[in-house]
Amino acid sequence: MVEAQTWTTRRMSNPRLDTPATDLVLDVPVTPPGGVRNNTTSTYFPFSPNVLTALIVASWYLSNIGVLLLNKYLLSFYGFRFPIFLTMLHMLSCTAYSYAAINFLELVPFQHIHSKRQFFKILALSAIFCFSVVCGNTSLRYLPVSFNQAIGATTPFFTAIFAFVIICNKESAEVYLALLPVVFGIVLASNSEPLFHLFGFLICVGSTAGRALKSVVQGILLTSEAEKLHSMNLLLYMAPMAALILLPFTLYIEGNVAAITAEKAKGDPFIVFLLIGNATVAYLVNLTNFLVTKYTSALTLQVLGNAKAAVAAVVSVLIFRNPVTVMGMTGFAVTIMGVGLYSEAKKRSKITTH
Protein backbone atom coordinates (compact mmCIF):
# COMPACT_ATOMS: atom_id res chain seq x y z
CA MET A 1 0.00 0.00 0.00
CA VAL A 2 1.35 3.44 -0.94
CA GLU A 3 0.58 5.92 1.79
CA ALA A 4 -0.98 9.27 0.97
CA GLN A 5 1.47 12.10 0.54
CA THR A 6 0.79 15.63 1.81
CA TRP A 7 1.55 18.72 -0.15
CA THR A 8 1.89 21.98 1.80
CA THR A 9 2.34 25.42 0.39
CA ARG A 10 5.38 27.43 1.25
CA ARG A 11 4.76 30.19 3.76
CA MET A 12 3.33 33.30 2.11
CA SER A 13 3.64 31.68 -1.33
CA ASN A 14 -0.07 32.24 -1.94
CA PRO A 15 -1.56 34.78 0.42
CA ARG A 16 -5.00 34.35 -1.16
CA LEU A 17 -5.12 30.67 -0.12
CA ASP A 18 -7.02 30.45 3.15
CA THR A 19 -7.29 26.67 3.34
CA PRO A 20 -5.17 25.17 6.14
CA ALA A 21 -2.14 23.25 4.97
CA THR A 22 -3.32 20.10 6.72
CA ASP A 23 -6.41 20.01 4.48
CA LEU A 24 -4.40 20.04 1.26
CA VAL A 25 -3.99 16.28 0.81
CA LEU A 26 -3.44 14.49 -2.50
CA ASP A 27 -4.28 10.79 -2.49
CA VAL A 28 -1.95 8.82 -4.71
CA PRO A 29 -3.71 5.65 -5.96
CA VAL A 30 -2.15 2.30 -5.28
CA THR A 31 -0.19 0.90 -8.24
CA PRO A 32 -2.00 -2.23 -9.42
CA PRO A 33 -0.12 -5.52 -9.83
CA GLY A 34 1.29 -6.31 -13.25
CA GLY A 35 -1.30 -9.02 -13.89
CA VAL A 36 -4.11 -6.56 -13.40
CA ARG A 37 -2.49 -3.89 -15.57
CA ASN A 38 -2.06 -6.34 -18.44
CA ASN A 39 -5.52 -7.83 -18.13
CA THR A 40 -8.06 -5.16 -18.95
CA THR A 41 -10.79 -7.73 -19.55
CA SER A 42 -10.89 -8.55 -15.84
CA THR A 43 -12.43 -5.14 -15.27
CA TYR A 44 -15.45 -6.17 -17.29
CA PHE A 45 -15.56 -9.96 -16.94
CA PRO A 46 -15.36 -11.96 -13.72
CA PHE A 47 -13.15 -14.68 -15.22
CA SER A 48 -9.72 -15.13 -16.76
CA PRO A 49 -8.88 -14.29 -20.42
CA ASN A 50 -8.48 -17.99 -21.23
CA VAL A 51 -11.96 -18.78 -19.94
CA LEU A 52 -13.36 -15.77 -21.81
CA THR A 53 -11.74 -16.91 -25.07
CA ALA A 54 -13.07 -20.45 -24.58
CA LEU A 55 -16.58 -19.09 -24.00
CA ILE A 56 -16.38 -16.93 -27.14
CA VAL A 57 -15.18 -19.87 -29.26
CA ALA A 58 -17.96 -22.07 -27.83
CA SER A 59 -20.49 -19.33 -28.61
CA TRP A 60 -19.13 -19.12 -32.15
CA TYR A 61 -19.63 -22.86 -32.65
CA LEU A 62 -23.10 -22.83 -31.08
CA SER A 63 -24.32 -19.89 -33.17
CA ASN A 64 -22.85 -21.12 -36.47
CA ILE A 65 -24.12 -24.67 -36.07
CA GLY A 66 -27.33 -23.51 -34.39
CA VAL A 67 -28.42 -21.30 -37.29
CA LEU A 68 -27.79 -24.16 -39.74
CA LEU A 69 -29.85 -26.61 -37.72
CA LEU A 70 -32.66 -24.11 -37.13
CA ASN A 71 -32.79 -23.22 -40.82
CA LYS A 72 -32.91 -26.91 -41.73
CA TYR A 73 -35.63 -27.61 -39.17
CA LEU A 74 -37.79 -24.67 -40.29
CA LEU A 75 -37.43 -25.23 -44.03
CA SER A 76 -37.47 -29.03 -44.20
CA PHE A 77 -39.23 -30.41 -41.12
CA TYR A 78 -41.45 -27.67 -39.71
CA GLY A 79 -42.97 -26.82 -43.08
CA PHE A 80 -41.94 -23.15 -43.31
CA ARG A 81 -41.22 -23.10 -47.06
CA PHE A 82 -40.15 -19.47 -47.43
CA PRO A 83 -36.33 -19.22 -47.58
CA ILE A 84 -36.32 -15.69 -49.07
CA PHE A 85 -38.60 -14.35 -46.34
CA LEU A 86 -36.51 -16.16 -43.72
CA THR A 87 -33.35 -14.54 -45.09
CA MET A 88 -35.07 -11.13 -45.02
CA LEU A 89 -35.89 -11.68 -41.34
CA HIS A 90 -32.21 -12.44 -40.76
CA MET A 91 -31.27 -9.14 -42.41
CA LEU A 92 -33.80 -7.16 -40.36
CA SER A 93 -32.51 -8.82 -37.20
CA CYS A 94 -28.91 -7.98 -38.12
CA THR A 95 -29.95 -4.37 -38.74
CA ALA A 96 -31.61 -3.96 -35.34
CA TYR A 97 -28.95 -5.78 -33.32
CA SER A 98 -26.07 -4.09 -35.16
CA TYR A 99 -27.57 -0.66 -34.46
CA ALA A 100 -27.87 -1.50 -30.77
CA ALA A 101 -24.37 -3.01 -30.56
CA ILE A 102 -22.73 0.02 -32.18
CA ASN A 103 -24.82 2.93 -30.91
CA PHE A 104 -25.77 1.74 -27.42
CA LEU A 105 -23.25 -0.92 -26.38
CA GLU A 106 -20.47 0.86 -28.34
CA LEU A 107 -18.69 -2.39 -29.23
CA VAL A 108 -16.98 -0.55 -32.08
CA PRO A 109 -16.92 3.14 -33.11
CA PHE A 110 -19.67 4.18 -35.52
CA GLN A 111 -18.46 4.91 -39.07
CA HIS A 112 -20.30 7.04 -41.63
CA ILE A 113 -20.66 6.47 -45.36
CA HIS A 114 -18.71 9.36 -46.88
CA SER A 115 -19.77 9.32 -50.54
CA LYS A 116 -22.29 8.04 -53.07
CA ARG A 117 -19.50 5.97 -54.57
CA GLN A 118 -18.94 4.17 -51.26
CA PHE A 119 -22.71 3.72 -50.85
CA PHE A 120 -23.07 1.99 -54.23
CA LYS A 121 -20.07 -0.22 -53.50
CA ILE A 122 -21.76 -1.42 -50.30
CA LEU A 123 -25.01 -1.88 -52.24
CA ALA A 124 -23.22 -4.13 -54.73
CA LEU A 125 -21.80 -6.20 -51.88
CA SER A 126 -25.29 -6.42 -50.37
CA ALA A 127 -26.68 -7.84 -53.61
CA ILE A 128 -23.99 -10.54 -53.74
CA PHE A 129 -24.56 -11.21 -50.03
CA CYS A 130 -28.31 -11.67 -50.67
CA PHE A 131 -27.70 -14.12 -53.48
CA SER A 132 -25.30 -16.20 -51.40
CA VAL A 133 -27.45 -16.37 -48.25
CA VAL A 134 -30.74 -17.04 -50.07
CA CYS A 135 -29.16 -19.83 -52.12
CA GLY A 136 -27.63 -21.33 -48.98
CA ASN A 137 -30.91 -21.27 -47.08
CA THR A 138 -32.87 -22.61 -50.06
CA SER A 139 -30.44 -25.50 -50.50
CA LEU A 140 -31.25 -26.66 -46.96
CA ARG A 141 -34.77 -27.51 -48.17
CA TYR A 142 -33.33 -30.13 -50.49
CA LEU A 143 -30.01 -31.24 -49.02
CA PRO A 144 -28.93 -32.60 -45.62
CA VAL A 145 -26.79 -30.23 -43.53
CA SER A 146 -23.82 -32.60 -43.77
CA PHE A 147 -23.75 -32.44 -47.59
CA ASN A 148 -24.46 -28.70 -47.51
CA GLN A 149 -21.38 -28.18 -45.33
CA ALA A 150 -19.25 -30.40 -47.55
CA ILE A 151 -20.08 -28.20 -50.54
CA GLY A 152 -19.55 -25.04 -48.48
CA ALA A 153 -16.05 -26.21 -47.59
CA THR A 154 -15.03 -25.67 -51.23
CA THR A 155 -15.15 -21.86 -50.80
CA PRO A 156 -11.31 -21.53 -51.14
CA PHE A 157 -11.54 -23.14 -54.59
CA PHE A 158 -13.98 -20.52 -55.85
CA THR A 159 -12.07 -17.72 -54.12
CA ALA A 160 -8.90 -18.70 -55.99
CA ILE A 161 -10.80 -18.80 -59.30
CA PHE A 162 -12.47 -15.39 -58.82
CA ALA A 163 -9.23 -13.82 -57.60
CA PHE A 164 -7.47 -15.04 -60.76
CA VAL A 165 -10.27 -14.07 -63.18
CA ILE A 166 -11.18 -10.68 -61.68
CA ILE A 167 -7.90 -9.27 -60.35
CA CYS A 168 -5.42 -11.64 -62.06
CA ASN A 169 -4.11 -12.76 -58.69
CA LYS A 170 -1.86 -15.77 -59.26
CA GLU A 171 -1.12 -18.16 -56.43
CA SER A 172 1.85 -20.48 -56.09
CA ALA A 173 1.73 -23.96 -57.58
CA GLU A 174 1.56 -25.39 -54.05
CA VAL A 175 -1.65 -23.45 -53.36
CA TYR A 176 -3.31 -24.66 -56.56
CA LEU A 177 -2.25 -28.26 -55.91
CA ALA A 178 -3.81 -28.06 -52.42
CA LEU A 179 -7.16 -27.26 -54.08
CA LEU A 180 -7.24 -30.58 -55.94
CA PRO A 181 -8.31 -32.67 -52.91
CA VAL A 182 -10.95 -30.00 -52.12
CA VAL A 183 -12.61 -30.63 -55.50
CA PHE A 184 -11.94 -34.37 -55.56
CA GLY A 185 -13.48 -34.82 -52.12
CA ILE A 186 -16.73 -33.06 -53.05
CA VAL A 187 -17.01 -35.09 -56.27
CA LEU A 188 -16.57 -38.24 -54.21
CA ALA A 189 -19.17 -37.11 -51.66
CA SER A 190 -21.66 -36.10 -54.38
CA ASN A 191 -21.52 -39.44 -56.16
CA SER A 192 -22.27 -41.31 -52.95
CA GLU A 193 -24.79 -38.95 -51.29
CA PRO A 194 -28.03 -40.93 -50.63
CA LEU A 195 -30.16 -37.76 -50.56
CA PHE A 196 -28.56 -36.05 -53.55
CA HIS A 197 -30.82 -33.45 -55.18
CA LEU A 198 -29.59 -31.76 -58.36
CA PHE A 199 -31.35 -28.42 -57.84
CA GLY A 200 -30.29 -28.29 -54.19
CA PHE A 201 -26.72 -29.14 -55.21
CA LEU A 202 -26.60 -26.41 -57.87
CA ILE A 203 -27.94 -23.64 -55.64
CA CYS A 204 -25.63 -24.72 -52.81
CA VAL A 205 -22.69 -24.43 -55.22
CA GLY A 206 -24.09 -21.02 -56.22
CA SER A 207 -24.18 -19.99 -52.56
CA THR A 208 -20.57 -21.09 -52.06
CA ALA A 209 -19.44 -19.27 -55.20
CA GLY A 210 -21.35 -16.15 -54.08
CA ARG A 211 -19.63 -16.20 -50.70
CA ALA A 212 -16.24 -16.41 -52.42
CA LEU A 213 -17.17 -13.66 -54.90
CA LYS A 214 -18.21 -11.35 -52.06
CA SER A 215 -14.85 -11.73 -50.32
CA VAL A 216 -12.95 -10.94 -53.54
CA VAL A 217 -15.19 -8.02 -54.53
CA GLN A 218 -15.04 -6.61 -50.99
CA GLY A 219 -11.25 -6.62 -51.23
CA ILE A 220 -11.49 -4.67 -54.48
CA LEU A 221 -14.20 -2.15 -53.61
CA LEU A 222 -13.26 -1.22 -50.06
CA THR A 223 -9.50 -0.95 -50.36
CA SER A 224 -8.85 2.73 -49.68
CA GLU A 225 -8.37 3.75 -46.06
CA ALA A 226 -11.20 6.31 -46.38
CA GLU A 227 -13.68 3.63 -47.51
CA LYS A 228 -12.67 0.75 -45.26
CA LEU A 229 -15.37 -0.18 -42.77
CA HIS A 230 -15.18 -2.32 -39.66
CA SER A 231 -17.01 -5.62 -40.14
CA MET A 232 -19.70 -4.59 -37.64
CA ASN A 233 -20.30 -1.28 -39.42
CA LEU A 234 -20.32 -3.00 -42.79
CA LEU A 235 -23.02 -5.36 -41.51
CA LEU A 236 -25.00 -2.37 -40.18
CA TYR A 237 -25.16 -0.90 -43.69
CA MET A 238 -25.41 -4.12 -45.70
CA ALA A 239 -28.22 -5.74 -43.71
CA PRO A 240 -30.96 -3.11 -44.36
CA MET A 241 -29.90 -2.84 -48.01
CA ALA A 242 -30.16 -6.63 -48.32
CA ALA A 243 -33.61 -6.61 -46.67
CA LEU A 244 -34.85 -4.02 -49.18
CA ILE A 245 -33.42 -6.04 -52.09
CA LEU A 246 -35.16 -9.20 -50.83
CA LEU A 247 -38.56 -7.60 -50.19
CA PRO A 248 -39.85 -7.54 -53.81
CA PHE A 249 -38.51 -11.06 -54.42
CA THR A 250 -40.25 -12.56 -51.42
CA LEU A 251 -43.52 -10.81 -52.38
CA TYR A 252 -43.33 -11.95 -56.01
CA ILE A 253 -42.03 -15.49 -55.51
CA GLU A 254 -43.43 -16.44 -52.10
CA GLY A 255 -46.65 -14.39 -52.13
CA ASN A 256 -48.14 -12.68 -49.09
CA VAL A 257 -45.86 -14.59 -46.76
CA ALA A 258 -46.32 -12.18 -43.85
CA ALA A 259 -50.07 -12.83 -43.78
CA ILE A 260 -49.51 -16.57 -44.16
CA THR A 261 -47.05 -16.55 -41.25
CA ALA A 262 -49.42 -14.47 -39.07
CA GLU A 263 -52.26 -16.89 -39.81
CA LYS A 264 -50.04 -19.86 -38.99
CA ALA A 265 -48.98 -18.19 -35.73
CA LYS A 266 -52.62 -18.07 -34.56
CA GLY A 267 -52.79 -21.83 -34.59
CA ASP A 268 -49.19 -22.43 -33.57
CA PRO A 269 -47.57 -19.57 -31.60
CA PHE A 270 -44.34 -21.59 -31.40
CA ILE A 271 -43.46 -20.41 -34.90
CA VAL A 272 -43.02 -16.86 -33.58
CA PHE A 273 -40.47 -18.10 -31.06
CA LEU A 274 -38.71 -20.14 -33.77
CA LEU A 275 -38.46 -17.22 -36.19
CA ILE A 276 -37.27 -14.70 -33.57
CA GLY A 277 -34.78 -17.20 -32.16
CA ASN A 278 -33.55 -18.09 -35.64
CA ALA A 279 -33.10 -14.43 -36.61
CA THR A 280 -31.28 -13.69 -33.33
CA VAL A 281 -28.88 -16.59 -33.78
CA ALA A 282 -28.23 -15.38 -37.34
CA TYR A 283 -26.96 -12.10 -35.90
CA LEU A 284 -24.92 -13.90 -33.24
CA VAL A 285 -23.00 -15.62 -36.04
CA ASN A 286 -21.71 -12.21 -37.16
CA LEU A 287 -21.12 -10.97 -33.61
CA THR A 288 -19.12 -14.04 -32.59
CA ASN A 289 -17.09 -13.83 -35.82
CA PHE A 290 -16.03 -10.36 -34.69
CA LEU A 291 -15.35 -11.45 -31.10
CA VAL A 292 -13.27 -14.49 -32.10
CA THR A 293 -11.13 -12.30 -34.36
CA LYS A 294 -10.80 -9.68 -31.62
CA TYR A 295 -9.78 -12.04 -28.83
CA THR A 296 -7.75 -14.50 -30.93
CA SER A 297 -6.86 -13.83 -34.57
CA ALA A 298 -8.18 -14.04 -38.12
CA LEU A 299 -6.13 -17.22 -38.58
CA THR A 300 -7.86 -18.82 -35.59
CA LEU A 301 -11.22 -17.95 -37.13
CA GLN A 302 -10.14 -19.63 -40.37
CA VAL A 303 -9.05 -22.79 -38.54
CA LEU A 304 -12.31 -22.87 -36.58
CA GLY A 305 -14.22 -22.47 -39.83
CA ASN A 306 -12.48 -25.51 -41.29
CA ALA A 307 -13.40 -27.60 -38.25
CA LYS A 308 -16.94 -26.20 -38.05
CA ALA A 309 -18.07 -27.92 -41.24
CA ALA A 310 -17.11 -31.33 -39.84
CA VAL A 311 -18.69 -30.64 -36.43
CA ALA A 312 -21.91 -29.35 -38.02
CA ALA A 313 -22.11 -32.41 -40.26
CA VAL A 314 -21.73 -34.82 -37.33
CA VAL A 315 -24.25 -32.95 -35.16
CA SER A 316 -26.82 -32.76 -37.97
CA VAL A 317 -26.54 -36.51 -38.66
CA LEU A 318 -27.07 -37.23 -34.96
CA ILE A 319 -30.14 -34.95 -34.80
CA PHE A 320 -31.85 -35.46 -38.16
CA ARG A 321 -30.69 -39.06 -38.70
CA ASN A 322 -30.06 -38.56 -42.42
CA PRO A 323 -28.33 -41.56 -44.04
CA VAL A 324 -24.61 -41.35 -44.77
CA THR A 325 -22.23 -43.64 -46.60
CA VAL A 326 -18.61 -44.51 -45.95
CA MET A 327 -17.69 -43.09 -49.37
CA GLY A 328 -19.55 -39.87 -48.61
CA MET A 329 -17.78 -39.47 -45.28
CA THR A 330 -14.45 -40.17 -46.98
CA GLY A 331 -15.14 -37.53 -49.60
CA PHE A 332 -16.04 -34.99 -46.91
CA ALA A 333 -12.86 -35.82 -44.99
CA VAL A 334 -10.75 -35.39 -48.15
CA THR A 335 -12.34 -31.98 -48.78
CA ILE A 336 -11.66 -30.81 -45.21
CA MET A 337 -8.08 -32.09 -45.48
CA GLY A 338 -7.69 -30.17 -48.73
CA VAL A 339 -8.94 -26.97 -47.09
CA GLY A 340 -6.38 -27.42 -44.32
CA LEU A 341 -3.60 -27.96 -46.86
CA TYR A 342 -4.77 -24.88 -48.76
CA SER A 343 -4.63 -22.74 -45.62
CA GLU A 344 -1.09 -23.93 -44.84
CA ALA A 345 0.03 -23.38 -48.42
CA LYS A 346 -1.40 -19.84 -48.42
CA LYS A 347 0.38 -19.09 -45.16
CA ARG A 348 3.72 -20.33 -46.50
CA SER A 349 3.19 -18.43 -49.73
CA LYS A 350 2.68 -15.17 -47.84
CA ILE A 351 5.81 -15.76 -45.75
CA THR A 352 7.85 -16.44 -48.91
CA THR A 353 6.47 -13.31 -50.61
CA HIS A 354 7.38 -11.09 -47.67
Side-chain angles (χ1 to χ4, degrees):
M1 176 70 73
V2 178
E3 294 182 358
Q5 298 177 356
T6 60
W7 290 50
T8 59
T9 57
R10 289 178 296 175
R11 187 177 304 225
M12 302 301 293
S13 63
N14 190 350
R16 293 175 297 173
L17 188 62
D18 297 324
T19 309
T22 53
D23 293 337
L24 297 175
V25 178
L26 178 64
D27 289 328
V28 179
V30 177
T31 303
V36 176
R37 290 197 307 271
N38 297 330
N39 180 20
T40 55
T41 57
S42 62
T43 307
Y44 306 100
F45 301 99
F47 27 72
S48 69
N50 291 337
V51 174
L52 175 62
T53 302
L55 288 173
I56 289 171
V57 170
S59 299
W60 183 87
Y61 269 108
L62 287 173
S63 58
N64 275 269
I65 296 174
V67 75
L68 277 170
L69 299 180
L70 281 171
N71 287 344
K72 178 64 178 177
Y73 176 73
L74 275 166
L75 295 169
S76 293
F77 294 91
Y78 191 78
F80 190 80
R81 311 280 184 186
F82 309 110
I84 303 175
F85 180 70
L86 183 65
T87 306
M88 191 178 75
L89 288 182
H90 290 181
M91 297 302 107
L92 293 174
S93 169
C94 287
T95 302
Y97 285 121
S98 295
Y99 184 85
I102 293 173
N103 291 281
F104 297 119
L105 299 180
E106 298 181 348
L107 290 182
V108 295
F110 177 71
Q111 294 173 284
H112 293 277
I113 294 178
H114 296 291
S115 64
K116 288 184 179 179
R117 179 185 176 87
Q118 186 183 17
F119 172 84
F120 284 112
K121 287 180 177 181
I122 297 172
L123 183 62
L125 286 175
S126 301
I128 300 172
F129 186 50
C130 282
F131 173 79
S132 175
V133 178
V134 168
C135 285
N137 287 341
T138 304
S139 71
L140 288 171
R141 282 188 58 184
Y142 306 97
L143 300 176
V145 174
S146 53
F147 190 42
N148 172 281
Q149 288 299 286
I151 298 171
T154 62
T155 301
F157 170 76
F158 291 100
T159 302
I161 291 176
F162 286 128
F164 178 76
V165 172
I166 298 174
I167 59 176
C168 299
N169 181 46
K170 295 182 180 179
E171 301 287 355
S172 65
E174 183 185 10
V175 172
Y176 287 125
L177 284 173
L179 290 172
L180 292 179
V182 173
V183 179
F184 175 72
I186 202 61
V187 171
L188 203 63
S190 300
N191 287 332
S192 56
E193 172 57 47
L195 300 178
F196 182 85
H197 191 284
L198 181 60
F199 178 70
F201 173 77
L202 292 176
I203 56 176
C204 192
V205 169
S207 171
T208 306
R211 190 160 55 247
L213 179 62
K214 175 183 169 291
S215 67
V216 174
V217 172
Q218 184 172 329
I220 299 170
L221 297 183
L222 301 178
T223 51
S224 69
E225 289 300 323
E227 291 184 338
K228 278 185 179 178
L229 291 173
H230 189 280
S231 60
M232 299 287 283
N233 280 279
L234 185 60
L235 181 65
L236 175 63
Y237 290 119
M238 283 178 55
M241 292 181 187
L244 289 174
I245 292 171
L246 292 171
L247 180 60
F249 286 97
T250 187
L251 291 175
Y252 179 75
I253 297 173
E254 297 175 334
N256 193 3
V257 62
I260 296 172
T261 304
E263 187 65 29
K264 188 175 180 65
K266 292 179 181 178
D268 184 11
F270 184 61
I271 191 174
V272 177
F273 171 77
L274 275 177
L275 292 175
I276 293 175
N278 180 261
T280 300
V281 175
Y283 169 72
L284 291 178
V285 170
N286 296 279
L287 178 62
T288 52
N289 279 347
F290 157 67
L291 291 175
V292 167
T293 305
K294 178 180 178 181
Y295 285 93
T296 56
S297 66
L299 179 61
T300 301
L301 183 63
Q302 188 178 21
V303 172
L304 291 174
N306 295 341
K308 184 264 293 183
V311 176
V314 172
V315 172
S316 69
V317 169
L318 293 175
I319 292 176
F320 298 120
R321 303 290 182 180
N322 55 281
V324 292
T325 63
V326 174
M327 193 64 71
M329 293 169 62
T330 303
F332 192 8
V334 170
T335 295
I336 296 298
M337 180 193 70
V339 172
L341 292 174
Y342 169 82
S343 300
E344 286 298 314
K346 282 280 288 183
K347 188 165 62 175
R348 282 195 294 269
S349 178
K350 287 180 180 179
I351 293 172
T352 305
T353 304
H354 291 86

